[in-house]
Structures are given as structure tokens and as C-alpha cells.
């Protein structure tokens, strides 16, 4: 049996270090023994963007970027999207197993009993100006919830954690829907008993059928599948941000608000909004070649394409593409889909994208569906937040219960000035 160690030799000194290999990784702290001078700090690993650094051990989500695999607690995303529901997936992510019928019924009842938001929060939502971006409102609302539930700071109390999880999952859709109603100057539509999670959200958003004012079951299912597809994705930018915040034992509301702030960027969850604006800017399929030339000239990015992990097709994109046509059967097709499909085809045949292993990601088609369902473009990243929240909460619980985790505090390579004396202002050049 070969030795499960890595021996590194520092050629500056001839010193070598033998580091244990566990799960195909080495403990970075082991590099610190490599020094030139005895009083040196010791060697660090430099990894901007953490492209090759494992920050934690996790049992929640498995992604294989080369094989296009995504599994939640071992269950393939394709099967969950076909067979499961968003709240069942939320339970699976948080507790590690699919619930029994009784467990799911109790879990659902708990969350749906927390859909009303505090009047203090309603008042806060009313203070935002009409054109306020839903992400700025939602991030503020989630952080504000920490002032309403100060007991949430007891992050090591199991029952307290669960209560906050019910509140966050239950109240975020309501807060987002109220924010949109305020933005449009419409009266609030309260949550309605008897509707499930996604149906209630569409109901509060006013996305109901003209004929009978009810939500369409095809759109409800599409919303539920889209939430499931966004529910978790291992240590992405926003989840890493959440773990950093939670590592200081901040409460879950502030951790989720910080994660949502990270997700807002156009390189991450803001991409779905950017894709819609890109497709609208292209405007016509005959403009695609000229647009792709601009991408290849690095004037713009092909939003919704590329991924740090998936170097083949993002499995979620394939499922979303199927959901799109199911939604269009109800809403009527969205003309942007034709541009998107042809844009994808051009890119998949263009060596610039193929050589860089750039394929459609989860954001490429999701925005087209959201628009067809009637959501305003600005709302798209906030829909990603609603979907990702159970994953963030599962990662939060895993972090606070992980004995190996410590407060996040990376090191740096200092390239600044050496020590220098203060110069009185009168003597400065
Ligand atoms: C999400 O991490 C996750 O799991 C995220 C996510 C999740 O579920 O949480 O999957 C959700 O955020 C999906 C990604 C959504 N973002 C976009 O669609 C924005 C467009 N894509 C990118 O900007 C980019 O692809 C990233 C940010 C997604 C990934 O960036 P990387 O891994 O740092 O890749 P890179 O920027 O180093 O690019 C490598 C090469 C470069 O070319 P060269 O300089 O080597 O010649 O590919 C090029 C880049 O210029 N490139 C693109 C491109 N993405 C990468 N060129 C044109 N268009 C793009 N979209």
C-alpha cells in the first residue's frame, strides 16, 4: 500500500516536509514548517478566488464539473427535479435524508405557519423608493429580521436554529412579494392558507390567471422546479460568503443577507438578469455573429455561459430548457428564447467558447422563463435567493456544528511599503 503522504522539498534550503494526504488534499498549515530563516512566518499557499482550495468538509452537495453531475445528499438533480418538491428538497439538504410523509407534512406546516411578516418589516419595505432594486430591498429586509429575533444569535442551540430556519424560509417569499407590490404601488396580497410554497409566492406576486385569479398549476410546478435547481451548489461565491460570516457566530439573518449580497453580482446570481438584458440588446438572431465577435474581442461577456466548476454542460441548464417549453405552453413563447437557442448553438460551434470549455450555466435560460411567467427582470436574482436559501441554511448548520471549523481569517502576501517614519504635513512634498 503506497504511503498516503506528500513530500515537498524547498530547493532554497533543501528542507523537505512530509504532509499527510486525506481525501486527496493536504493540510495547508503543513507548509508553514518550510522556512528560510528560523524566525520566518513559514510558507503559505497563494490561491486568489480559491480556485484550488477546499475550505471545508461537506456532506450536502456533490458537483462533478467534468461529468456534469449535481447531487443533493447523493440524489441526482435530474431525479429530484422530476420527482420531488422544493420544500422536500429543502428538508433533504438540511437534514440529510428524504422525509417520511409525516415529516414532510410537519415541515411544510411549520414553514407555511411562518409566512406572515412583522409589521415593522412591512413598514421598512414601504420606505424604499419606487425604483429600488429588489435585491437591495431583500438584503435589507433579511438583515432587518435579525433585529426582530435577537434570540437568533444563539447559533449553537438546535431548537433555536430550527425556529429561525422556519422563519427565514417562510417569510422571505412574503417580504419579496411585498417589496414588489410596494415598487408597483399595488395593495399588499397576503399569503393564503391552503396554497403550497410556490403557489403562495405566485399568488402574492399577483401572477395569477385573468380568468379566475388562481395560480396556474403548470407555472407553480415550474417555479418549484426552478427553486429546486437553485437550492444548493457546494462552495460557490455566495455560500462561501455565508460561511465566512457564520464563522464569527453571526446570526443566520445576517449570514443570509451577506450571502444574498454576494449572489447579487452579475458574475454570480445577477447573471440571470444580465442574460435577459443581453438577449434584448442582441434583439434579433441575425445580430448574433456580430455580438459574438464583441465577446471574442473581450468587449462584453457572454452572460449565462461559463462556470468555475462545470467544464461541460451545467445539468441544471438542460432541465431549465425543458421547463421553458412547458411554461411557454401556458404563457405563450418568449421571443428571446429563439435568440437564446441560436446563440447557444453558435457558441457551441465556435472554438473560442469550446476551447475555453464555456457552456450554458443555470442562468442562461432561467431568466427567459421568469420573464414569460411575468416577473420583472430586476426580480430575477431575488428568485435565485429564494431558491438558494435552504442550501445556505444547510451550509450554515453544517458550519456551526463542524468541530474543525474556526473563524475565517485568510492570510495575505504583503507587497506594500516597508516601515517608514511619519512626516508632518508641513514637511511633505
Ligand atoms: C452561477 O460557482 C457556482 O456554483 C455558481 C452557480 C451556483 O449555482 O451558485 O453555479 C451560479 O453563478 C453561475 C455563473 C453565472 N455567471 C455568468 O454567467 C457570468 C458569465 N460567466 C463568467 O463571467 C465566468 O464564466 C464565471 C464567473 C462564471 C467563471 O469565471 P472563472 O471560472 O473565473 O473563469 P475565468 O473568468 O477565469 O475565464 C476563463 C476564460 C477566460 O478567457 P482567457 O482570459 O483565458 O482567454 O474563459 C473566458 C475568460 O475570458 N470566459 C468568458 C466567459 N466566462 C469565462 N468569455 C466570455 N464570456 C463568458 N461568460
Amino acid at each position: 500500500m503506497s504511503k498516503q503522504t506528500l513530500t515537498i522539498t524547498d530547493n532554497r534550503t533543501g528542507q523537505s516536509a512530509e504532509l499527510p494526504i486525506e481525501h486527496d488534499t493536504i493540510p495547508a498549515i503543513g507548509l508553514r514548517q518550510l522556512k528560510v530563516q528560523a524566525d520566518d512566518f513559514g510558507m503559505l499557499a497563494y490561491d486568489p478566488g480559491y480556485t484550488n482550495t477546499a475550505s471545508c468538509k461537506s456532506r450536502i452537495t456533490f458537483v462533478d464539473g467534468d461529468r456534469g453531475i449535481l447531487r443533493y445528499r447523493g440524489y441526482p438533480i435530474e431525479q429530484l427535479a422530476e420527482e420531488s418538491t422544493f420544500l422536500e428538497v429543502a428538508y433533504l439538504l438540511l437534514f440529510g435524508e428524504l422525509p417520511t410523509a409525516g415529516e414532510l407534512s410537519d415541515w411544510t406546516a411549520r414553514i407555511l405557519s411562518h409566512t406572515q411578516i412583522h409589521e415593522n418589516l412591512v413598514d421598512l419595505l414601504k420606505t424604499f423608493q419606487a425604483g429600488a432594486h429588489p435585491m437591495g430591498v431583500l438584503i435589507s429586509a433579511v438583515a432587518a429580521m435579525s433585529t426582530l429575533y435577537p434570540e437568533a444569535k444563539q447559533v449553537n442551540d438546535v431548537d433555536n436554529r430550527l425556529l429561525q430556519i422556519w422563519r427565514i424560509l417562510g417569510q422571505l417569499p412574503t417580504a419579496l412579494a411585498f417589496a414588489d407590490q410596494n415598487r408597483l404601488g399595488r395593495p399588499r396580497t397576503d399569503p393564503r392558507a391552503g396554497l403550497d410554497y410556490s403557489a403562495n409566492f405566485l399568488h402574492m406576486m399577483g401572477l395569477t390567471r385573468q380568468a379566475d385569479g388562481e395560480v396556474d398549476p403548470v407555472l407553480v410546478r415550474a417555479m418549484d422546479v426552478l427553486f429546486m435547481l437553485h437550492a444548493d451548489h457546494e462552495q460557490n461565491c455566495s455560500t462561501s460568503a455565508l460561511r465566512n460570516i457564520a464563522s464569527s457566530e453571526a446570526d443566520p439573518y445576517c449570514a443570509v443577507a451577506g450571502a444574498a449580497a454576494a449572489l447579487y453580482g452579475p458574475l454570480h446570481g445577477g447573471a440571470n438578469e444580465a442574460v435577459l438584458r443581453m438577449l434584448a440588446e442582441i434583439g434579433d438572431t441575425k445580430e448574433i455573429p456580430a455580438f459574438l465577435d464583441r465577446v471574442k474581442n473581450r468587449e462584453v461577456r457572454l452572460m449565462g455561459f461559463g462556470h468555475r466548476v462545470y467544464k461541460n454542460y451545467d445539468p441544471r441548464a438542460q432541465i431549465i430548457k425543458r421547463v421553458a417549453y412547458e411554461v411557454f405552453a401556458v404563457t405563450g413563447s418568449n421571443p428571446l428564447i429563439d435568440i437564446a437557442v441560436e446563440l447557444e448553438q453558435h457558441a457551441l460551434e465556435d472554438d473560442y467558447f469550446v476551447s475555453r470549455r464555456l457552456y450554458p450555466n443555470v442562468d442562461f435560460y432561467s431568466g427567459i422563463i421568469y420573464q414569460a411567467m411575468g416577473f420583472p427582470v430586476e426580480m430575477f436574482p431575488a428568485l435565485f435567493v429564494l431558491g438558494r436559501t435552504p442550501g445556505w441554511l444547510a451550509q450554515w448548520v453544517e458550519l456551526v456544528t463542524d468541530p474543525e471549523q474556526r473563524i475565517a481569517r485568510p492570510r495575505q502576501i504583503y507587497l506594500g511599503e516597508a516601515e517608514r517614519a511619519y512626516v508632518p504635513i508641513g514637511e511633505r512634498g
Side-chain angles (χ1 to χ4, degrees), residues 30-46:
L31 296 173
R32 288 278 295 283
Q33 60 189 292
L34 295 173
K35 303 181 179 186
V36 176
Q37 305 300 331
D39 62 353
D40 283 353
F41 181 79
M43 187 168 284
L44 292 174
Y46 176 53

Side-chain angles (χ1 to χ4, degrees), residues 199-212:
N200 219 350
F201 177 57
L202 295 180
H203 162 72
M204 292 187 289
M205 284 293 301
L207 300 179
T208 52
R209 290 185 300 224
Q210 292 276 345
D212 56 8

Side-chain angles (χ1 to χ4, degrees), residues 41 53 95 152 154 157 162 171 217 244 251 312 372 382 393 408 415 424 428:
F41 181 79
T53 295
F95 301 104
Q154 310 311 318
D157 178 308
L162 195 49
Q171 293 187 32
N244 263 20
D251 69 72
N312 279 308
L393 292 169
L415 299 178
R428 295 172 199 165

Side-chain angles (χ1 to χ4, degrees), residues 144-429:
M145 287 171 75
S146 70
T147 68
L148 301 173
Y149 309 112
E151 75 278 8
K153 293 183 178 66
Q154 310 311 318
V155 298
N156 295 309
D157 178 308
V158 178
D159 295 333
N160 182 49
R161 281 202 301 263
L162 195 49
L163 174 57
Q164 310 315 325
I165 287 168
W166 293 330
R167 282 171 171 158
I168 292 170
L169 291 176
Q171 293 187 32
L172 257 56
T174 308
L176 184 58
F178 282 12
D180 193 53
Q181 283 147 0
N182 286 321
R183 187 176 68 90
L184 297 171
R186 280 204 317 244
R188 276 166 40 187
T189 304
D190 285 312
R192 194 171 90 189
L195 291 179
D196 71 21
Y197 191 91
S198 294
N200 219 350
F201 177 57
L202 295 180
H203 162 72
M204 292 187 289
M205 284 293 301
L207 300 179
T208 52
R209 290 185 300 224
Q210 292 276 345
D212 56 8
E214 294 300 325
V215 289
D216 187 295
V218 172
L219 302 189
V220 171
R221 180 61 190 165
M223 188 81 263
D224 222 51
V225 171
L226 285 161
F227 281 151
M228 276 192 268
L229 294 173
H230 287 82
D232 194 55
H233 212 245
E234 58 148 89
Q235 304 312 314
N236 56 82
C237 175
S238 52
T239 298
S240 307
L242 172 121
R243 280 180 169 260
N244 263 20
I245 296 165
S247 75
S248 72
E249 295 199 358
D251 69 72
Y253 299 99
C254 292
V256 167
L263 185 134
Y264 191 3
L267 297 188
H268 189 13
N272 52 22
E273 179 180 353
V275 167
L276 249 290
R277 299 189 192 286
M278 173 186 75
L279 295 174
E281 181 194 337
I282 292 169
D284 187 295
T285 53
K286 64 178 183 302
E287 298 303 327
I288 288 173
F291 178 79
L292 290 179
D293 286 341
R294 291 180 57 209
V295 173
K296 291 185 271 191
N297 293 333
R298 298 168 186 275
E299 297 168 34
V300 291
R301 281 211 163 195
L302 179 54
M303 302 311 278
F305 258 66
H307 199 278
R308 174 65 54 77
V309 177
Y310 289 122
K311 297 310 176 187
N312 279 308
Y313 222 93
D314 181 335
R316 301 167 296 179
Q318 289 172 309
I319 299 168
I320 288 174
K321 198 172 175 181
R322 169 177 59 74
V323 171
Y325 289 102
E326 291 167 4
V327 167
F328 297 156
V330 171
T331 63
S333 184
N334 181 333
L336 296 179
I337 186 77
D338 299 329
I339 299 175
V341 169
E342 189 153 334
L343 182 58
E344 174 189 357
Q345 204 49 49
H346 277 261
L348 296 183
E349 293 164 359
D350 188 313
D351 185 59
Y352 181 91
F353 302 96
V354 175
S355 65
R356 291 170 174 79
R357 303 183 74 184
L358 301 177
Y359 296 91
N361 59 48
V362 67
D363 292 305
F364 188 64
Y365 284 107
S366 53
I368 297 169
I369 300 176
Y370 294 146
Q371 187 180 56
M373 292 173 76
F375 288 104
V377 176
E378 299 79 13
M379 181 70 79
F380 296 0
L383 299 176
F384 195 145
V385 170
L386 293 190
R388 184 54 51 90
T389 297
W392 285 336
L393 292 169
Q395 299 274 349
W396 169 60
V397 171
E398 189 172 69
L399 176 120
V400 295
T401 56
D402 181 345
E404 290 187 357
Q405 283 299 323
R406 306 170 65 190
I407 187 167
R409 207 274 183 227
R411 309 303 303 226
Q412 64 173 13
I413 301 173
Y414 178 69
L415 299 178
E417 298 288 341
E419 183 179 357
R420 51 182 174 167
Y422 181 80
V423 179
I425 192 162
E427 298 170 22
R428 295 172 199 165

